[in-house]
Amino acid sequence: MATALSGVATTPAAAQGFTYNPPHTRPKPAPAAQTGQMLVQAVEVNYDYNNSRVAAVGSVQMFYNGTTVEADKVIYDQKTKRLHAEGNVRMTDADGKITYANLLDLSDDYRDGFVDSLRVDTADSTRMAATRAERNAGNYTVFQNGVYTACAACKDDPKKPPLWQVKGARIIHDQTEKMMYFEDARLEFFGVPMAYLPYFSTPDPTVKRKTGFLMPGVTSVTNNGFGIETPFYWAIAPDYDATISPRYTTRQGLLMQGEFRQRLMDGAYQIRAYGINQQDPGAYANTVGDKAFRGGVESKGQFALNDKWVWGWDAVALSDYTFLQDYRLSMYKDPYASFLNLQTEAISQLYLTGVGDRSFFDARTIYYLSFSGSQSSVPVVLPVVDYANVVRNNILGGELSYKTNFTSLSRDTADFNSISTLGTANSLCNTTSADPLARTPANCLLRGMPGTYTRFTAEAEWRRSFTDPMGQIFTPFAIMRVDAINSSISNQPGVSNFLPVGDTQALRVMPTVGLEYRYPFINVQPWGTTTLEPIAQVIIRPNETYAGKLPNEDAQSMNFDASNLFSVDKFSGYDRVEGGSRANVGVQATTQFDRGGSVSMLFGQSYQLFGMNSFAVHDVTNTGVDSGLATSRSDYVARVNYSPNRTYTFSTRARFDEASMNVSRFEAEGRASFDRWSVSLMYGNYAPQLDLGYLTRREGLLGSGSIKVASNWVVTGAARWDLEANKINQYTVGAGYVDDCFIMGVNYVTSYNYVSNLATPPVLSHSVMLQIGLRTLGNSTAAGANGAIQ
């Protein structure tokens, strides 16, 4: 039976469901606009007019001011405006918070009162329990002998202690400040006390940002000693905040860190600063000398001009190049990347990027801060601009596209790499030698020229496909590329052995016409469909002008395999352009199985038809010389991919010597992914490349895997095995636990630390990191490393 109660007076009703009009002696109702309307449903409703009480008994449900109260019995006292509920009490407020209790006594506006033997479930899946709770002024709730957790109850045994919980003699919830204060608190895991805190506070679960101290973290690094970091977060305004993170280390003293972040209407930016006056500068004497003060400033930001254009920056300024590594710092706040020394360089750049339906634009200036220490041999890029566009309308029935690149860079000191057995700390190729004969193409590569280098490249391409009645596909294409180059190369020792020093201007034009032919044969069987496709490509063009006589900054990587067999220009960048006429031929086969799975294969070879072979030219980096393309008949390349189902994938890539069929390069990779575990294994075998400085065969295995040992536990690992040296030279193992309220991860990683003298072998470093996160309370990390450079 339901009853509507307006104000503090009631409109009585009997179990039969009729409406009863009270006598004139009952209290005068308060205006409904001020008090709202109370709805009651119960098996029986009794009215005590002498004491102004209403009692609802039996499966009581009451709704008032957005709050629902359910209980075995509810008594409402009109004189005191108190609501008393007892027996299986369940109260649900407007925010979705549910309170369970044996007894509840509150004012009718729920601002004051007490609850005995209660349990509270909030809308964000946090839970609280207490023997008694008292509520005052509508803002303060004091839980006596309280328990708090963000973990769900065990489905099989709800009485079982949760994964973690915090017990306190008193837990005070200030709803105005949205803070929770714990007194005489104990942190328990599975009901076992693990930590004691006489007092601590935390924002309540509804808070996303709140000023206060964050969870502390600890570190241990050989050169820094034991360290503890206690961040303080300052929520200055809804759109910006700051974090101050002092870290005290036993060996080096106090490292101060600060971060400021602000989000604007069209983007966001952040600034971080560090500084320390080292107590023991000698710990890093090998890298930075006896420098006492070390620090840095970092910033990044990105803003949208509209739905297609964004601009932004990354900026880094450091007292020395190893500061971030030595103190395991990273502006991206990835504790694993920063602590485990996964960064190799810092980039300062200013960029503008635009993306259209068929076009792309990117312009940026770049300054690389190398952690290797040879900063003077690292280029400053001012700027690099790329633009590409595909014309919307067909031209002569085909597709026309064009792209441009403008690059301008400068470098103070030449960057030489040794390619001989003398490539040690005493090598003639090291940068301290003043003898120009010490650096020659016989024992060195000039990875970076000293001086300034500017190049503008424009390229247009047209292609169209025709299919004849027999199913043969003919695709003619034409390409026109123009490079305008200006360089001013400093006459440093040995540079003239590689490039003409002084000012050089060059105009390089490369017209290209070609035809690609494909003839796919399709065979359909009950078990699947096989497509066999011979492919031939003929390219006609003149020789590359200025081959090997110009700087090569962006086309130093060259790996000839099945992926670029049919590329018109196989160089990876703009500083080199492939010249001479060439034919690329191969055959491709693909089978799709009706029951799932597929296998694909490609085998082919490239032929230099006439003209100069660009890959046989020794340039400043010997790009292409040992690629398998330097002869008139290239090495054979092959690829096989097999995927029987979604679980397994296998792939192999190979290059075989054209004359002897010896393996020049071979890679095999297999992956398997199941519900509970995944594994991958890669094998690599690479022949010596003397002209590139690889004097011996390289062979190794790289494996990784993860297994879900339980519903929430994952174990991971990876290792690299150098088969030539017969040793595992780098590995990592880790374990993690993740559920709805708790995160824990521990990782052991080996990595390499480098010193400023590049000829000195890197030192293997061992690092351990522990990360723990309690939902709604925060995350904490503990890390340690040794093997750092002393």
Side-chain angles (χ1 to χ4, degrees):
M1 182 196 66
T3 302
L5 304 178
S6 298
V8 295
T10 62
T11 301
Q16 291 80 3
F18 62 87
T19 301
Y20 175 76
N21 293 320
H24 66 277
T25 56
R26 61 181 284 210
K28 184 179 180 181
Q34 297 178 7
T35 62
Q37 191 176 58
M38 180 182 292
L39 300 177
V40 178
Q41 179 175 311
V43 174
E44 179 180 344
V45 179
N46 299 316
Y47 300 90
D48 184 348
Y49 294 108
N50 295 328
N51 297 310
S52 299
R53 290 183 179 180
V54 179
V57 181
S59 301
V60 181
Q61 292 184 334
M62 184 188 74
F63 181 80
Y64 181 59
N65 282 346
T67 298
T68 302
V69 177
E70 302 171 66
D72 294 339
K73 182 178 181 180
V74 175
I75 300 174
Y76 179 65
D77 192 318
Q78 296 173 301
K79 293 182 179 179
T80 61
K81 298 182 180 180
R82 303 287 294 187
L83 183 70
H84 180 90
E86 56 186 61
N88 300 311
V89 180
R90 173 188 169 111
M91 183 174 71
T92 306
D93 65 14
D95 296 328
K97 183 175 68 176
I98 303 174
T99 301
Y100 300 90
N102 290 332
L103 186 147
L104 180 148
D105 191 287
L106 294 173
S107 59
D108 63 356
D109 56 5
Y110 311 110
R111 291 175 55 85
D112 301 281
F114 65 89
V115 183
D116 286 344
S117 301
L118 84 157
R119 189 182 89 244
V120 179
D121 293 346
T122 64
D124 54 3
S125 301
T126 60
R127 299 186 298 144
M128 295 187 69
T131 57
R132 182 182 177 89
E134 298 178 1
R135 184 172 176 84
N136 299 308
N139 295 324
Y140 297 94
T141 303
V142 180
F143 299 87
Q144 304 291 343
N145 299 318
V147 181
Y148 171 80
T149 184
C151 301
C154 179
K155 294 181 180 180
D156 298 331
D157 185 6
K159 296 183 179 180
K160 182 180 178 180
L163 193 153
W164 67 265
Q165 61 185 6
V166 180
K167 290 184 176 181
R170 291 206 316 166
I171 302 176
I172 303 172
H173 185 197
D174 188 333
Q175 290 183 275
T176 301
E177 295 185 359
K178 296 185 180 297
M179 290 291 295
M180 296 174 62
Y181 302 91
F182 294 78
E183 298 178 358
D184 195 19
R186 300 185 309 278
L187 175 62
E188 295 184 355
F189 284 87
F190 299 106
V192 179
M194 301 294 293
Y196 171 76
L197 295 171
Y199 174 85
F200 82 95
S201 62
T202 182
D204 72 24
T206 65
V207 174
K208 304 302 180 184
R209 301 166 66 248
K210 185 71 174 179
T211 298
F213 286 98
L214 305 179
M215 294 289 284
V218 296
T219 61
S220 179
V221 180
T222 304
N223 289 349
N224 301 336
F226 178 81
I228 182 168
E229 182 174 319
T230 307
F232 180 81
Y233 176 76
W234 183 13
I236 305 172
D239 58 332
Y240 57 93
D241 56 30
T243 304
I244 301 173
S245 305
R247 179 195 299 177
Y248 180 78
T249 61
T250 56
R251 187 170 179 181
Q252 299 296 347
L254 182 63
L255 170 68
M256 289 299 298
Q257 308 171 68
E259 178 185 30
F260 177 83
R261 305 184 305 174
Q262 184 171 19
R263 180 173 294 278
L264 304 176
M265 292 293 294
D266 55 353
Y269 70 94
Q270 68 182 75
I271 302 171
R272 300 192 77 193
Y274 321 88
I276 184 173
N277 192 28
Q278 298 183 130
Q279 295 178 351
D280 184 11
Y284 294 106
N286 288 347
T287 55
V288 297
D290 293 331
K291 184 181 293 185
F293 178 80
R294 302 177 68 187
V297 178
E298 297 179 301
S299 177
K300 68 173 181 177
Q302 180 169 294
F303 298 88
L305 299 175
N306 51 42
D307 61 340
K308 292 182 172 60
W309 290 90
V310 297
W311 72 277
W313 73 86
D314 296 284
V316 184
L318 302 175
S319 60
D320 55 86
Y321 66 92
T322 64
F323 173 70
L324 293 180
Q325 281 188 322
D326 292 344
Y327 286 92
R328 274 48 176 190
L329 300 170
S330 169
M331 76 175 298
Y332 303 105
K333 284 194 169 181
D334 182 348
Y336 291 97
S338 59
F339 187 81
L340 302 176
N341 273 351
L342 301 184
Q343 295 175 296
T344 59
E345 63 185 18
I347 298 177
S348 295
Q349 60 179 342
L350 179 66
Y351 61 87
L352 172 67
T353 301
V355 179
D357 295 336
R358 303 166 68 88
S359 61
F360 172 79
F361 175 88
D362 184 86
R364 61 188 63 217
T365 61
I366 307 173
Y367 178 84
Y368 297 96
L369 180 61
S370 174
F371 294 165
S372 66
S374 301
Q375 188 61 44
S376 62
S377 62
V378 178
V380 178
V381 183
L382 294 169
V384 56
V385 182
D386 287 285
Y387 177 72
N389 183 43
V390 178
V391 177
R392 188 177 301 275
N393 299 323
N394 289 341
I395 305 297
L396 300 178
E399 181 184 82
L400 178 65
S401 62
Y402 58 91
K403 59 183 177 180
T404 61
N405 174 269
F406 176 79
T407 300
S408 181
L409 59 86
S410 63
R411 183 186 285 105
D412 293 333
T413 306
D415 182 12
F416 288 99
N417 281 173
S418 174
I419 59 173
S420 72
T421 55
L422 300 177
T424 64
N426 297 320
S427 169
L428 295 176
C429 198
N430 74 74
T431 57
T432 61
S433 175
D435 182 5
L437 298 179
R439 306 183 188 95
T440 66
N443 58 24
C444 295
L445 298 178
L446 181 59
R447 289 293 184 186
M449 61 87 211
T452 60
Y453 173 70
T454 302
R455 175 188 40 76
F456 175 76
T457 298
E459 179 178 301
E461 178 178 0
W462 174 90
R463 62 173 55 231
R464 181 180 179 182
S465 293
F466 300 88
T467 303
D468 69 6
M470 297 178 60
Q472 300 177 99
I473 304 173
F474 299 87
T475 304
F477 56 87
I479 302 172
M480 174 60 74
R481 172 172 160 177
V482 178
D483 300 294
I485 299 166
N486 179 72
S487 64
S488 179
I489 301 176
S490 302
N491 188 15
Q492 296 181 6
V495 174
S496 60
N497 297 328
F498 296 82
L499 292 171
V501 297
D503 295 337
T504 301
Q505 291 79 38
L507 182 65
R508 186 171 59 195
V509 180
M510 182 58 67
T512 302
V513 294
L515 176 68
E516 182 176 285
Y517 169 81
R518 295 172 181 259
Y519 194 5
F521 296 88
I522 301 177
N523 182 18
V524 179
Q525 297 291 337
W527 44 264
T529 302
T530 298
T531 302
L532 183 67
E533 185 178 35
I535 307 172
Q537 189 182 64
V538 178
I539 303 167
I540 308 298
R541 60 196 165 198
N543 294 336
E544 178 188 6
T545 55
Y546 301 100
K549 299 178 181 179
L550 295 171
N552 180 5
E553 295 286 338
D554 72 348
Q556 298 184 12
S557 175
M558 179 65 222
N559 180 26
F560 174 52
D561 58 17
S563 66
N564 58 5
L565 172 62
F566 296 103
S567 297
V568 177
D569 187 346
K570 296 178 177 59
F571 284 111
S572 60
Y574 292 101
D575 287 340
R576 291 291 306 273
V577 59
E578 184 178 347
S581 295
R582 180 171 291 274
N584 304 310
V585 297
V587 59
Q588 179 174 264
T590 302
T591 298
Q592 294 283 346
F593 300 101
D594 288 347
R595 293 186 177 183
S598 65
V599 59
S600 66
M601 296 174 285
L602 175 66
F603 183 84
Q605 191 179 26
S606 182
Y607 300 87
Q608 183 71 21
L609 299 179
F610 51 84
M612 183 180 68
N613 188 343
S614 294
F615 302 105
V617 177
H618 288 254
D619 66 2
V620 294
T621 60
N622 286 344
T623 301
V625 173
D626 280 328
S627 65
L629 289 163
T631 57
S632 59
R633 295 164 60 96
S634 77
D635 288 350
Y636 298 101
V637 293
R639 179 200 69 216
V640 178
N641 295 328
Y642 175 52
S643 178
N645 47 47
R646 294 183 179 181
T647 301
Y648 301 97
T649 57
F650 304 95
S651 63
T652 60
R653 300 169 292 275
R655 196 179 86 227
F656 304 95
D657 185 87
E658 183 271 335
S660 64
M661 290 301 291
N662 291 331
V663 176
S664 299
R665 187 181 185 93
F666 179 80
E667 293 176 343
E669 184 175 7
R671 296 177 180 271
S673 180
F674 296 87
D675 292 337
R676 298 180 64 88
W677 62 275
S678 63
V679 64
S680 67
L681 182 66
M682 179 177 177
Y683 168 78
N685 190 327
Y686 313 100
Q689 294 175 287
L690 303 181
D691 291 318
L692 299 179
Y694 299 106
L695 308 180
T696 61
R697 178 172 289 275
R698 292 149 291 154
E699 185 179 12
L701 286 170
L702 177 63
S704 64
S706 66
I707 180 170
K708 192 174 183 180
V709 296
S711 59
N712 303 104
W713 284 94
V714 177
V715 177
T716 61
R720 185 174 62 188
W721 185 8
D722 185 341
L723 294 176
E724 287 293 315
N726 194 25
K727 67 176 183 179
I728 297 177
N729 55 16
Q730 197 166 3
Y731 52 90
T732 175
V733 293
Y737 177 92
V738 179
D739 66 11
D740 60 336
C741 67
F742 180 71
I743 297 175
M744 182 184 70
V746 59
N747 283 268
Y748 172 77
V749 176
T750 61
S751 58
Y752 287 96
N753 293 319
Y754 294 84
V755 296
S756 58
N757 185 356
L758 295 180
T760 301
V763 178
L764 190 63
S765 174
H766 303 266
S767 304
V768 178
M769 186 167 189
L770 173 67
Q771 185 179 32
I772 295 177
L774 307 178
R775 188 171 74 88
T776 74
L777 293 185
N779 299 328
S780 183
T781 59
N786 60 31
I789 301 167
Q790 300 295 318

